[in-house]
Structures are given as C-alpha cells and as structure tokens.
Amino acid sequence: MFVYADNAATTRVSDAVVAAMLPYFTEHYGNPSSTYPLGQEASAALIRAREAIAACLGCLPSELTFTSGGSEADNQILRSAAAWGKAHGRTHLIASAIEHHAVLNTLEDLKAEGFSVTLLSVGPEGVVSPADLKAALTPQTALVSVMLANNETGALQPIQQLAELAHGAGALFHTDAVQAVGHVPISLKNSPVDFLSASAHKFHGPKGNGFLFAKRGFELQSLIFGGAQERGKRAGTENVPGIVGMAAALQEACDHMTENTKRMEEARDALQEKLGVLPGTRVHAGTLLRLPGHLNMAFEGVSAEALLPVLGMAGICVSSGSACASGSPDPSHVLLAMGCSPDEAKSSLRFSLGDDITPEQVEYVAETVKREVERLRNLHQRR
Ligand SMILES: *Cc1c(COP(=O)(O)O)cnc(C)c1O
C-alpha cells in the first residue's frame, strides 16, 4: 500500500487544477502585458484568479500580490514592514520561536541591518501566549509576525488577539498562513491582520506559486526589480498557468472545506487513538485547536531517523518535521520551543493526512508504525 501522509510538506496537484492550467501553456500562452487579444486573454485570467482568491479570503483583489511561494511572500512582507518601521523610528521586530525558517532567517538577516528581534516562546501545547506578546511589545516595535498554524504540530495560534495587541502598541501584524489557507476558514474582512502569506502547493496547487496579502494603503517594497508587473511591486512576467492553478485549487479547497475537514479529522483522530495504544507515546499539541490532518507524536526510545526509511520502504511518506529540517540531524526548533528534550524531539514523527485519506490507509499506517516501533525498540534492548 502507498500512503502519502506528508501533506504539510507539499500536496498532490488535483486533477481539476491541472485541467484548469493546461490551456494557459498551449492555447492562451500570451504575455499578460501584451496588448493584442492573445495577451489580453492571459491578463484577463490573472484578473479572474485574483478576484477568486480575494473572494475566498474576504479581501480586495488589489490587496493581493502574486509571488513565487510562501517563502517569497514572507520575505517581502518582513522587509516591507521593517522598512516602514525604520521610516517611523521603529526598529524592533517580534516573532514566535516556532515560525518557519522563511521568517526566522529573514529576521536573522534584518538583525544584521540593525533591527532587534524578540522571539516569543510557546507553551507546552505549542501556542503563543498573548500575555507574552504584551510583555514583549515596546514603542519601538514595528512588526509582530506569528503564523496562523504551525507546520510541524498543526497548532492554531490566537492571531486575532495577537494582532489586536500589536495594533495597541502601534505595530503591524503579519501571519504566515501557508499551512492554514485552504484548510481552515479565513476571513480578512474587518480582520486586524495587516499581512498574510500563502503558498499554492500546500493546498493542491502548483509549486512555485504563492501570494501575499497586504492591507490597502500599505506601500510594499519590491524584492525583485524590473517591469511594472504586480503594480510595480513584483517584477517579472507572471506565471500565468501557475496563478490560474493556484486560484482553481483555492476555490476547490474552499468549496469542499467542511467535508474535507470532517474526513481528515476523523482519520487523524483514529490514527492518534490506534498509535496511542503503544506504550511510551506522546502527542504534541494534541489538546488545543489543530489543523485537521496533523498528528505529531513522540515514540520513546526510537529515533525518527531510524523509523523514516523503514516506513518509506513500506510505502508510507511521513516526516520528522519541516522539509527544511529533515536531512539535518538537529532536533526540531518547534518541539524544543515547546519544552521537549532533544531526545524526545528526535523521536517524533509528523503525520499530515490528505483529504483523500481512507480508513484502510489509516489502519495500514497504524499497524506498520506500531510494528516497526516495537521492532526497533526490541533491537535496542537486545544490544
Ligand atoms: C511550506 C511553508 C512555507 C514556505 O512556502 P514555499 O511556497 O515552499 O516557499 C512557509 N511557511 C510555512 C508555515 C510553510 O509550511
């Protein structure tokens, strides 16, 4: 059996999305900046895509900028907000310690440019505490950046409350919503969120496509200079098929969110229960609100490094945390921030189920993981 349970790393592009994209490679292949009809067809497709995404999120089409993905969106927002801060005498930035490296490493770079950075830790359930943010805010704070849902644990963050606190101190608020968009309801209408980042390949769209939301009135900075595409904020000929696919994928995800959530939650809860039968297991971030498909679990005495290839051979795709962290022997910065020991972090697996998961697949994953964990534990004991 083959089970893809690593949807937090990337997702399969849905068949309907591929079908929506294809004509924009071969038929409507014009450059959207060209004025003849072939170009204007492409330009019209971009307008429709922007409108569809805006409708899904409850924002204005003009508040969206297309990017090459979540990382670029995070980079552009952080740099733009930092520039705004500098112009207003604010050179302090706050983020959570569990952010994606697209945020953390951009902040590292901004430090070298003279900004000071505070990283907020999280409680044992992987959630940022509003009280901690309140204590960290200063009159110099330019931006607070806290993700909507964590990619390793799925833990949802109280961004509404955090954004209001940031505003109370005169700071801007960004949320990296890459794991959340298309998976949980999001409405930017009347929301205190100033900036949001998203990535198509996390919701069954194509890789290398994303977008950022920046509230009306805010002047973004460019990362890429050149032509006047994206209102002069992101130069380069638009990835028309990719953008069409991203909009189709988000539309599909939003249209089916209720039933997808139910199916994924039921499967995830069943998997958690079946694996919980093993002694020496612990669920990370299991008691508060989580993304529907996420399960992050520690298996005492077994390293993920040993378990992953065995599961891979059995046709099961899971991971030990973020795609960027796997391959490096370092324990997850997210689990460490939650208070896990390095050993426990290294013995943890992340399952992120897809919306096509079946009960048979759940059963297969549970039985295989249990068998292999027990086998590896016995091996260690005999040594
Ligand atoms: C995947 C991911 C990103 C990066 O998005 P890309 O499109 O792969 O660059 C950023 N933040 C989070 C939370 C992610 O899960």
Side-chain angles (χ1 to χ4, degrees):
M1 200 182 273
F2 177 78
V3 187
Y4 185 73
D6 203 13
N7 286 271
T10 195
T11 57
R12 177 183 183 277
V13 179
S14 87
D15 296 340
V17 168
V18 174
M21 291 172 72
L22 282 177
Y24 290 90
F25 289 106
T26 51
E27 211 177 314
H28 314 299
Y29 53 82
N31 186 320
S33 299
S34 301
T35 51
Y36 40 77
L38 188 72
Q40 290 310 296
E41 282 166 17
S43 167
L46 293 184
I47 292 170
R48 283 195 301 272
R50 207 184 300 274
E51 283 173 350
I53 295 172
C56 286
L57 296 177
C59 66
L60 299 171
S62 59
E63 292 175 311
L64 298 172
T65 302
F66 296 133
T67 68
S68 67
S71 298
E72 186 186 330
D74 284 342
N75 275 258
Q76 188 166 9
I77 289 166
L78 264 58
R79 290 195 181 277
S80 298
W84 173 88
K86 207 166 208 171
H88 290 80
R90 292 171 174 259
T91 55
H92 177 228
L93 307 167
I94 300 178
S96 83
I98 61 167
E99 295 301 306
H100 189 272
H101 282 108
V103 167
L104 293 177
N105 289 345
T106 303
L107 292 175
E108 273 305 307
D109 200 55
L110 287 167
K111 259 196 213 172
E113 289 179 21
F115 288 88
S116 64
V117 174
T118 302
L119 292 185
L120 303 172
S121 196
V122 292
E125 284 305 317
V127 177
V128 174
S129 130
D132 287 351
L133 174 59
K134 211 169 174 179
L137 284 162
T138 77
Q140 276 73 48
T141 308
L143 177 76
V144 176
S145 179
V146 177
M147 66 204 327
L148 207 161
N150 182 262
N151 44 309
E152 296 191 28
T153 63
L156 299 180
Q157 306 298 319
I159 60 157
Q160 175 89 16
Q161 226 181 325
L162 299 174
E164 280 163 8
L165 284 171
H167 284 183
L172 298 168
F173 185 84
H174 164 237
T175 190
D176 173 339
V178 171
Q179 289 288 328
V181 169
H183 300 279
V184 295
I186 294 175
S187 174
L188 291 167
K189 197 172 180 180
N190 303 323
S191 157
V193 169
D194 298 296
F195 309 105
L196 172 147
S197 355
S199 175
H201 77 99
K202 304 289 175 73
F203 53 80
H204 302 288
K207 293 170 184 59
N209 284 94
F211 63 86
L212 67 80
F213 157 84
K215 200 172 262 182
R216 183 165 58 163
F218 183 85
E219 193 67 13
L220 281 171
Q221 293 238 315
S222 293
L223 294 183
I224 300 173
F225 296 84
Q229 292 90 352
E230 297 300 289
R231 299 175 315 286
K233 299 307 173 196
R234 209 279 185 176
T237 303
E238 300 87 343
N239 180 348
V240 180
I243 291 166
V244 166
M246 173 162 67
L250 185 58
Q251 187 93 59
E252 197 177 32
C254 291
D255 288 350
H256 299 284
M257 198 178 285
T258 311
E259 64 264 31
N260 286 346
T261 299
K262 186 166 178 285
R263 195 175 323 112
M264 287 156 79
E265 264 176 356
E266 281 172 6
R268 190 268 314 278
D269 293 347
L271 181 61
Q272 179 170 324
E273 198 179 308
K274 287 173 196 289
L275 291 175
V277 170
L278 268 177
T281 57
R282 192 163 83 91
V283 177
H284 299 298
T287 56
L288 302 176
L289 292 175
R290 245 186 313 177
L291 288 171
H294 268 65
L295 171 61
N296 196 315
M297 205 165 186
F299 300 90
E300 203 188 321
V302 184
S303 81
E305 211 180 344
L307 205 43
L308 285 174
V310 183
L311 296 178
M313 290 295 284
I316 298 173
C317 307
V318 291
S319 83
S320 58
S322 69
C324 327
S326 63
S328 88
D330 296 336
S332 148
H333 70 287
V334 173
L335 297 181
L336 293 184
M338 291 165 62
C340 285
S341 68
D343 271 351
E344 189 181 15
K346 284 184 185 181
S347 73
S348 299
L349 290 187
R350 174 188 71 186
F351 303 87
S352 46
L353 308 180
D355 48 37
D356 56 352
I357 188 84
T358 65
E360 293 72 29
Q361 288 179 315
V362 169
E363 185 64 30
Y364 177 69
V365 173
E367 289 313 311
T368 311
V369 172
K370 281 197 283 191
R371 187 182 69 231
E372 295 305 332
V373 165
E374 281 174 334
R375 195 178 58 80
L376 287 168
R377 281 178 177 165
N378 287 337
L379 269 178
H380 287 310
Q381 271 163 14
R382 252 182 266 136
R383 261 197 222 135

